[in-house]
Amino acid sequence: TGRDDNVVIVGAHLDSVPVGPGINDDGSGVGTILEVAEDMKNVRPENTVRFAFWGAEEIGTIGSAYYLSRLPQEERDKIALYLNFDMIGSPNPVRFVYDGDGSEFGTIAPEGSAAIEAFFTDFYADRHLASEPTRIEFSSDYAIFFGLGIPFGGVFTGSSGIKTPEEAAVYGGQAGQPYDPCYHAACDTFAGTGDGVGATPPGLGLISLDQLSDGAAHSVFSFAMTTSAVPGTDKSSAKAANNATSLDYWGPKARK
């Protein structure tokens, strides 16, 4: 429900690589946005929120490309922003936020993406949790939105990259090891979940999943009420803007 001329799209991909079951990549993102979708019944959004469960991401973001290529231009123009959640439960994680303003890695995302990056950064800073930018590599479904000039953002806990000693000092876990030792592997399962970093196989990182799913939920509920903080998007009503800045939509009240 909500105004259909200002659409927030929230996406995660359903497929995994053939060798693995994909519990983190991307069961973590899919499970998160399913839970958020369930809780949307507790609010009356000002904007339309559309949940997308993409197919064939692992072989070239085919599902999202197919969808957007067949969406009439007048419908594309109604998309205010896109939120991508792909791998948010890595067992040796960092709280990464996509570098929308290009300040860290130089790739400047479409207008408005910097504001989405700032939204997530502020969310974690307000909770005394560190976060840091991650490179835009066009390897997930946000790439298609980027190409069409649609603002995007999201969070990520890392894949095959190696955790540095500096990151381990901030986020815990094991330096010199991948953020997800089971990335694109047969061990991307629930086995070892809850046993902590170093479990064999490692399973899901429940703390990172909890923290990043909270950020995901807060972003969806907030932008469902107003996208006024994102340059280039329509303004929702003043009442909705006030609600979005004064209330935390994710928590006990939202869950009831």
Side-chain angles (χ1 to χ4, degrees):
T1 62
R3 49 186 293 188
D4 61 7
D5 63 340
N6 206 48
V7 179
V8 174
I9 299 185
V10 186
H13 70 87
L14 287 169
D15 62 316
S16 66
V17 294
V19 71
I23 295 303
N24 184 33
D25 185 15
D26 183 32
S28 59
V30 169
T32 290
I33 69 171
L34 276 170
E35 180 71 11
V36 175
E38 284 279 323
D39 281 316
M40 284 298 295
K41 66 180 178 289
N42 297 306
V43 299
R44 183 172 294 174
E46 289 283 322
N47 301 315
T48 290
V49 180
R50 186 174 301 154
F51 292 91
F53 299 90
W54 307 118
E57 186 267 0
E58 296 288 5
I59 55 175
T61 60
I62 290 174
S64 52
Y66 181 92
Y67 171 77
L68 284 169
S69 70
R70 283 155 179 76
L71 201 64
Q73 186 62 51
E74 63 184 43
E75 293 300 318
R76 291 185 197 172
D77 292 341
K78 295 176 182 179
I79 301 172
L81 58 92
Y82 173 62
L83 299 172
N84 194 73
F85 301 107
D86 186 358
M87 297 186 67
I88 60 173
S90 303
N92 192 27
V94 169
R95 284 182 292 274
F96 286 121
V97 178
Y98 290 116
D99 183 24
D101 63 3
S103 60
E104 188 71 18
F105 299 102
T107 300
I108 300 174
E111 181 187 10
S113 302
I116 302 173
E117 177 188 4
F119 178 94
F120 284 109
T121 300
D122 291 345
F123 175 85
Y124 289 110
D126 289 346
R127 287 152 181 79
H128 307 289
L129 295 170
S131 64
E132 58 188 84
T134 188
R135 187 187 302 274
I136 296 171
E137 295 183 330
F138 304 101
S139 58
S140 191
D141 293 293
Y142 63 76
I144 312 303
F145 292 84
F146 185 109
L148 293 174
I150 296 169
F152 88 94
V155 289
F156 174 57
T157 47
S159 55
S160 59
I162 303 300
K163 177 173 278 189
T164 66
E166 293 78 13
E167 290 169 342
V170 173
Y171 300 97
Q174 295 184 343
Q177 297 297 316
Y179 304 116
D180 184 357
C182 290
Y183 174 65
H184 284 187
C187 59
D188 186 7
T189 69
F190 286 115
T193 294
D195 294 336
V197 175
T200 305
L204 273 176
L206 295 183
I207 294 175
S208 61
L209 180 61
D210 180 45
Q211 293 173 346
L212 272 76
S213 63
D214 280 356
H218 187 63
S219 69
V220 176
F221 283 113
S222 296
F223 291 129
M225 300 307 294
T226 177
T227 62
S228 60
V230 181
T233 66
D234 254 339
K235 303 286 192 293
S236 293
S237 70
K239 179 180 178 182
N242 181 65
N243 286 343
T245 55
S246 62
L247 295 176
D248 186 338
Y249 287 98
W250 186 246
K253 290 184 179 178
R255 291 174 185 250
K256 289 181 181 178

